Amino acid sequence: MQVFQPYPFHWVPAAGQRHASTDRRPEGALAYPSGTSVATLCREQVIADNSEIGWLWPTCDSCNTEAHRIARELPTTTTARSN
């Protein structure tokens, strides 16, 4: 059985695209609040636009590539199942 490990990045709409970032979100927030300055996986500094339309923007190709690389490199934890 694989144990779910959350990804160390979060998606954020900003600058007309959905970017990914490893910046910490505010305590208890599920998304970066609009107006938050965020460093992205594509090495940009952007301002979050947590609007409904922002989540419909296209995904930044560079952030997507880097997010997939990070996800592939995460260790997987397995446990044996006993009957």
Side-chain angles (χ1 to χ4, degrees):
M1 168 194 307
Q2 286 191 336
V3 176
F4 175 73
Q5 179 174 342
Y7 295 116
F9 55 84
H10 310 285
W11 292 97
V12 55
Q17 293 184 305
R18 286 179 295 126
H19 292 272
S21 176
T22 56
D23 287 0
R24 291 186 66 158
R25 293 178 297 191
E27 187 69 32
L30 296 176
Y32 300 99
S34 290
T36 304
S37 181
V38 180
T40 65
L41 297 182
C42 67
R43 303 179 198 270
E44 298 287 329
Q45 192 72 30
V46 297
I47 303 299
D49 179 358
N50 193 14
S51 62
E52 286 184 30
I53 194 73
W55 288 102
L56 300 175
W57 291 338
T59 301
C60 169
D61 288 336
S62 296
C63 283
N64 194 43
T65 298
E66 183 64 7
H68 279 85
R69 185 196 63 76
I70 290 169
R72 279 191 308 273
E73 291 181 359
L74 286 176
T76 56
T77 305
T78 59
T79 57
R81 202 172 158 176
S82 59
N83 292 331

